[in-house]
Amino acid sequence: MRVKSERDFWSGLVFVVVGVVFAGGATDYGMGPACPAQDPCAANLWARFSQLSAQPGAGYFPLGLGVLLAFVGAVVLFKSLTLESDGGDPIGAFAWRPLVAIVAAVVFFGALLEPLGLVGSVTVLVCISSLADAEFHWKSVLASVTVLTAGAWLVLVWTLKLAIPVWPGFLG
């Protein structure tokens, strides 16, 4: 069997591997309450699924997400082996700058959330991640900082009531 799209083949393979690894890792956590032997959910798969959906355990979501990711990867992998693409759709040069910028932005966000608060850490996140693009515009960075900080505060602090510091610790 010949690979007809190199890009789809490798991305599908990565999706399948990551999905299987996450699904396998999720089996170490509880899925939810077990069905007693006399309960109808013990014999019926859909009844068991609905019970787990009502009271999911810690491993329920990562398992479902891993299986879904592996399924999507399998579809992409199948497509890469069956549908013809122009010139085999080769993989181009690896984009190191965006990869390093995005990973660094997420790492710095996590490390600076406690000392700088949500406002400071989102600002650092947006500034570092904007370096991934070759074109850097301060107006768009400031607009992104404003919108993302307000959205993060709205969702995380106001709606979900998470105990995340909003302002840097030295401001009180």
Side-chain angles (χ1 to χ4, degrees), residues 1 3 33 36 47 50 84 91 112-113 116 131-132 140 144 146 157-158 163 166:
M1 186 170 281
V3 175
S50 66
E84 199 67 45
I91 296 175
L112 297 175
L113 184 59
L116 292 184
L131 296 174
S140 62
S144 296
T146 304
V157 177
W158 190 68
V166 177

Side-chain angles (χ1 to χ4, degrees), residues 94-106 124-137 141:
F94 200 78
W96 287 104
R97 180 181 173 147
L99 176 68
V100 170
I102 299 301
V103 169
V106 172
V124 171
L125 171 85
V126 172
C127 288
I128 293 175
S129 63
S130 66
L131 296 174
D133 191 9
E135 298 177 19
F136 183 85
H137 301 288
V141 170

Side-chain angles (χ1 to χ4, degrees), residues 12-49:
L13 190 63
V14 167
F15 278 20
V16 168
V17 168
V18 170
V20 167
V21 167
F22 269 82
T27 58
D28 292 339
Y29 301 108
M31 293 296 135
C35 292
Q38 66 276 12
D39 195 324
C41 80
N44 185 339
L45 179 63
W46 288 111
R48 173 74 175 130
F49 180 72

Side-chain angles (χ1 to χ4, degrees), residues 100-123:
V100 170
I102 299 301
V103 169
V106 172
V107 168
F108 277 107
F109 175 81
L112 297 175
L113 184 59
E114 186 82 22
L116 292 184
L118 190 63
V119 173
S121 59
V122 168
T123 303

Side-chain angles (χ1 to χ4, degrees), residues 136-161:
F136 183 85
H137 301 288
W138 278 108
K139 288 181 182 178
S140 62
V141 170
L142 292 175
S144 296
V145 165
T146 304
V147 170
L148 289 173
T149 302
W153 176 83
L154 183 69
V155 171
L156 300 173
V157 177
W158 190 68
T159 305
L160 296 176
K161 308 279 190 245

